[in-house]
Amino acid sequence: MSAPSKVGAVITALIFTLAGCSQDKPPEPVSIGKAAQSDTEAAKACTSLLGDGTGVAKDLMWSRTEPAQLSVKAYADTSTEGVITCTVEDKADTGTHASLRFANTITALNDRINSVSYHDSETETHVAATNTEQGVGVVAGEIPTQATEALQKTLDTMAGRLRR
């Protein structure tokens, strides 16, 4: 093989290698049952589902949406079966936050939906999504009504990744 042919073969191989590496793997499923066992497992699940919180902050149209401005906190509610809470919070304004509750059963999810309270029921609502095949779901309460459509898409995507 001549030198130009070798270079061409190396470039072709490199292109195929890079193309193979650049393909995004689908996100891993998240087990709510496992996540609900401890705050540490809940933190792993929240990080997997919400990342740095910027997606939720943008969906909710917050003014501060940079990763350095946000925190994601996790809590496993070990007093109930299979429920975790992931909270995205503005570090400078703790009054600006969103709590997403992930439930390992539809009954637990419905309990969470029924327990959502609102500061102002005319301007706030809740958004929920389920993975009926797995019997799991997520709900976010106290959501500004103008943000429901964007957040619904995000929760639907998250619900698709949930497992018992």
Side-chain angles (χ1 to χ4, degrees):
M1 193 181 287
S2 67
S5 298
K6 287 181 183 178
V7 171
V10 169
I11 290 173
T12 302
L14 183 59
I15 289 171
F16 282 116
T17 302
L18 291 175
C21 292
S22 67
Q23 294 175 351
D24 291 333
K25 292 188 330 186
E28 293 289 322
V30 175
S31 167
I32 298 304
K34 180 178 180 184
Q37 293 175 1
S38 70
D39 288 343
T40 302
E41 291 298 325
K44 290 176 188 175
C46 290
T47 299
S48 177
L49 291 162
L50 278 70
D52 57 18
T54 57
V56 170
K58 288 176 182 176
D59 287 348
L60 296 174
M61 298 178 277
W62 291 355
S63 59
R64 298 167 44 87
T65 60
E66 296 299 317
Q69 300 169 324
L70 304 171
S71 67
V72 177
K73 297 178 181 173
Y75 171 72
D77 185 352
T78 55
S79 66
T80 60
E81 186 179 329
V83 176
I84 66 169
T85 301
C86 303
T87 302
V88 179
E89 188 174 82
D90 183 324
K91 291 178 182 177
D93 178 10
T94 56
T96 301
H97 67 278
S99 293
L100 285 70
R101 290 173 180 86
F102 296 86
N104 198 33
T105 66
I106 297 300
T107 301
L109 178 66
N110 288 333
D111 289 347
R112 294 299 172 272
I113 290 171
N114 293 331
S115 69
V116 172
S117 62
Y118 306 102
H119 296 297
D120 183 350
S121 61
E122 291 184 20
T123 61
E124 293 179 339
T125 189
H126 74 273
V127 178
T130 60
N131 179 333
T132 51
E133 182 180 298
Q134 292 290 319
V136 294
V138 56
V139 62
E142 299 179 29
I143 302 302
T145 53
Q146 70 270 19
T148 57
E149 187 176 328
L151 189 61
Q152 185 67 60
K153 289 177 185 176
T154 298
L155 295 188
D156 287 342
T157 299
M158 287 181 191
R161 294 181 53 208
L162 302 179
R163 302 293 181 267
R164 282 185 171 254

